[in-house]
Amino acid sequence: MLFSFTRNSRTPRAVVTGAAVAASAVLLLSSCSVANSESTDEGGAADTIRIVLTQEPPTLEACESNLTSTGVVMRSNVTEPLVERNPTTGDLDPLLATSWEQTSDTEWTFTLRDDVTFSDGTPFNAEAAAFTIDRAVNSDLACNVEGYVFGDDDLVVNAVDDTTLTVTTVSPDPILPLRLSFIEIVPTSTDATAKVREPIGTGPYAIASWDAGTKLTLERNDTYWGDAPAYASAEYQWRSEGTVRAAMITSGEADLAMGLGPDDGAGDLGLDYPNNETVALRMTAEIAPLNDVRVREAVNYAIDKSGIIDSLYQGAHIAAAQLVPEGIVGHNADLEAWDFDVEKAAALVAEAKADGVPVDETITIVARNAQFPKVSEMAQVLQEQLTQAGLTVELKMVDTTQHLQYQLRPFVENEGAIALLIQHGNQAGDAQFSADQYMTTTGAQSVYGTAEFDALLEAASTKTGAERQAAYEDIFEYQNDEIVQFAFISHQTGIIGKAANVDYTPNSSSGDELRIAEITPAS
């Protein structure tokens, strides 16, 4: 099949004059100034957009950009992929690639732009794209994007000429272009043997400075191939408390605040948006007492999902029955969330105990500080509810770096049974990304699986259309009936705080990929 486009999603910068008319994917530049800025020479553009995050990025390494804390700064701001997914329609839009074609069962051919340079002046070409893919997927760097998107299989990448790239997979992969939308392209000068803290990209911004623990600043890339963004720079700060982030919006200290809760105090400046995040407990199903399916079922029955949603989130979230929310390919609309039945949970625990399962062994709930609003409160509620079912539960709150040791292979060992509180983003729009990493026996974030389940997952990955949808619907039902690695809690609704001097409409990807070029001063 051939994917080709007669127009670019971003107008080349060479044809932009004055107050540029943006393509449909980019908002009109505004000549209005804002309270915290002065006009500059780019069509009356504003000076600085100030953004407050929930936490400091642990790294800006491009191959880690699918991590929310990294991607919210990097993706399509500093670095760019070959293609990017439109968060509103789910379609793939051209970016550094103008078209792509499946040229055999296992090979895809991409035609690349010929008018792009990296912010350091080096040319973007097929050699850079091939280098980046090889570095992210085939190397020993242990990039998060490798485990999250590509798994164990390597890719064969070949720069045929400056504007032609071929990518060959081990087996047929009908969604390879979607996978490649997670790889942010870097120049061949990038270290191939170690991760870098501040990469170079082709995006509308470049990293200006990073004062660890204080702030991070991006500056406009004046050689950018597309439309010049409205703001000359973007300044990021981070505050762990949602009430503090909201107060920075209401007091005029920030223009955008990420990851707010409904009662953090943003008021009318808080914008609700349907994000793609699912919250769940992921259980180590091979470690006692969670190695008994009755105990894992008891955990599911013990959680009062509706109570958590109503008390902590003012009813704004949706009780979850599966890892992917509505709108994602493979979502099973017929699945219902587990009932809240603490008596049934206690009976299952007692039954397992009578059969010799050591149900008194400690289960540790591990949760990440500032991962999402009210995360510590939710973790405390979960601890109490599982305890009421007759289980012995401890709570461990950790920072991002520690959390990754529980979240990703190789997992922390010798700490007993773990129920990891996860927040899983479904920004790719297809269930395979969730299923492969969380449900296969070797998945980067999976702690349990079976050979039979692996076979179902492998078969589903090769299907397309209605057959693909049906296959993943069956997989999510099978997980709930036979595997029970998860206790699903909620599909979240996001809130962004937005000052009155800013125009921005959040979308389902905003929490993972905040595109500064789509933000403009209010008229």
Side-chain angles (χ1 to χ4, degrees):
M1 76 190 89
L2 175 65
F3 298 82
S4 185
F5 301 83
T6 56
R7 64 175 179 84
N8 297 319
S9 64
R10 302 188 182 186
T11 307
R13 194 173 191 278
V15 303
V16 178
T17 58
V21 178
S24 61
V26 183
L27 300 176
L28 290 174
L29 299 182
S30 171
S31 60
C32 301
S33 62
V34 295
N36 69 302
S37 64
E38 297 178 358
S39 296
T40 70
D41 58 355
E42 286 287 338
D47 185 10
T48 301
I49 178 76
R50 303 163 302 167
I51 302 164
V52 57
L53 307 174
T54 61
Q55 62 183 12
E56 183 174 11
T59 179
L60 298 181
E61 162 62 54
C63 76
E64 306 281 49
S65 62
N66 60 294
L67 294 173
T68 295
S69 52
T70 298
V72 72
V73 174
M74 292 297 293
R75 286 175 60 85
S76 290
N77 291 326
V78 175
T79 54
E80 298 176 306
L82 298 179
V83 299
E84 64 182 1
R85 179 177 176 270
N86 185 310
T88 302
T89 66
D91 296 334
L92 287 181
D93 291 336
L95 198 56
L96 297 180
T98 58
S99 65
W100 48 96
E101 178 184 7
Q102 189 168 7
T103 43
S104 77
D105 286 345
T106 58
E107 182 186 83
W108 289 78
T109 299
F110 294 80
T111 300
L112 310 184
R113 298 189 65 96
D114 62 2
D115 58 349
V116 177
T117 61
F118 291 95
S119 61
D120 66 351
T122 58
F124 160 76
N125 52 30
E127 183 182 1
F131 166 81
T132 301
I133 296 169
D134 187 64
R135 178 181 183 270
V137 178
N138 299 339
S139 73
D140 295 326
L141 289 180
C143 293
N144 194 262
V145 71
E146 179 181 8
Y148 179 80
V149 178
F150 292 93
D152 295 330
D153 291 339
D154 286 351
L155 301 174
V156 177
V157 287
N158 180 37
V160 178
D161 55 42
D162 281 353
T163 59
T164 307
L165 175 77
T166 62
V167 183
T168 305
T169 57
V170 173
S171 56
D173 187 352
I175 62 168
L176 178 69
L178 179 58
R179 294 186 197 278
L180 291 178
S181 71
F182 281 88
I183 293 185
E184 303 285 301
I185 305 301
V186 294
T188 58
S189 58
T190 305
D191 194 330
T193 61
K195 294 177 181 178
V196 299
R197 186 172 183 266
E198 300 182 22
I200 293 167
T202 61
Y205 289 90
I207 300 167
S209 63
W210 186 0
D211 301 323
T214 304
K215 69 178 180 179
L216 168 66
T217 304
L218 308 182
E219 62 182 0
R220 187 163 50 208
N221 172 14
D222 289 331
T223 64
Y224 182 53
W225 60 271
D227 293 333
Y231 290 97
S233 62
E235 180 180 288
Y236 299 86
Q237 297 185 57
W238 35 88
R239 301 290 186 271
S240 60
E241 292 295 327
T243 53
V244 174
R245 295 194 299 277
M248 292 177 70
I249 292 294
T250 58
S251 67
E253 295 179 61
D255 302 309
L256 288 175
M258 307 301 293
L260 297 183
D263 57 354
D264 281 337
D268 292 340
L269 299 181
L271 297 180
D272 291 356
Y273 68 100
N275 69 10
N276 50 40
E277 306 284 357
T278 300
V279 174
L281 288 176
R282 187 203 67 189
M283 296 177 276
T284 51
E286 293 182 338
I287 301 175
L290 293 174
N291 61 344
D292 190 286
V293 69
R294 291 168 294 187
V295 177
R296 302 196 300 275
E297 290 173 346
V299 171
N300 275 275
Y301 283 119
I303 298 174
D304 183 3
K305 290 170 283 295
S306 295
I308 289 172
I309 291 168
D310 289 342
S311 62
L312 296 183
Y313 303 103
Q314 300 182 7
H317 298 177
I318 300 171
Q322 58 203 294
L323 199 55
V324 303
E326 184 179 0
I328 304 298
V329 172
H331 172 81
N332 188 331
D334 294 330
L335 290 182
E336 295 183 357
W338 291 65
D339 292 334
F340 170 53
D341 191 334
V342 68
E343 292 183 0
K344 189 167 187 176
L348 285 166
V349 172
E351 180 183 321
K353 183 176 182 178
D355 289 341
V357 177
V359 298
D360 295 330
E361 291 285 333
T362 299
I363 298 170
T364 303
I365 295 177
V366 177
R368 192 178 96 197
N369 291 310
Q371 185 174 23
F372 54 83
K374 304 288 187 181
V375 61
S376 59
E377 291 90 338
M378 179 189 288
Q380 292 167 18
V381 171
L382 293 171
Q383 179 187 19
E384 175 62 24
Q385 292 181 345
L386 269 59
T387 299
Q388 291 178 357
L391 297 169
T392 301
V393 184
E394 293 183 354
L395 175 59
K396 184 175 183 178
M397 300 298 298
V398 298
D399 63 20
T400 301
T401 301
Q402 290 174 295
H403 192 266
L404 288 173
Q405 296 173 11
Y406 294 91
Q407 180 179 346
L408 298 169
R409 292 181 184 272
F411 302 118
V412 168
E413 296 181 347
N414 303 319
E415 291 197 14
I418 301 294
L420 182 72
L421 188 58
I422 65 168
Q423 181 192 35
H424 172 60
N426 292 275
Q427 60 265 41
D430 188 285
Q432 184 178 350
F433 292 92
S434 302
D436 281 2
Q437 64 172 313
Y438 274 110
M439 297 181 180
T440 60
T441 53
T442 59
Q445 301 192 59
S446 176
V447 291
Y448 184 65
T450 66
E452 294 79 9
F453 201 24
D454 282 352
L456 292 175
L457 291 161
E458 175 64 24
S461 70
T462 64
K463 298 183 184 299
T464 59
E467 290 185 351
R468 185 179 187 85
Q469 172 67 30
Y472 281 105
E473 288 181 6
D474 291 344
I475 278 168
F476 292 127
E477 182 176 6
Y478 188 95
Q479 195 291 139
N480 289 7
D481 293 343
E482 304 294 336
I483 303 297
V484 200
Q485 181 186 174
F486 300 95
F488 302 111
I489 301 170
S490 65
H491 300 307
Q492 295 182 309
T493 296
I495 300 176
I496 285 180
K498 183 186 74 66
N501 57 8
V502 169
D503 274 343
Y504 178 64
T505 302
N507 56 63
S508 62
S509 293
S510 293
D512 304 295
E513 180 179 336
L514 183 67
R515 301 176 187 174
I516 305 302
E518 295 179 355
I519 306 171
T520 60
S523 300

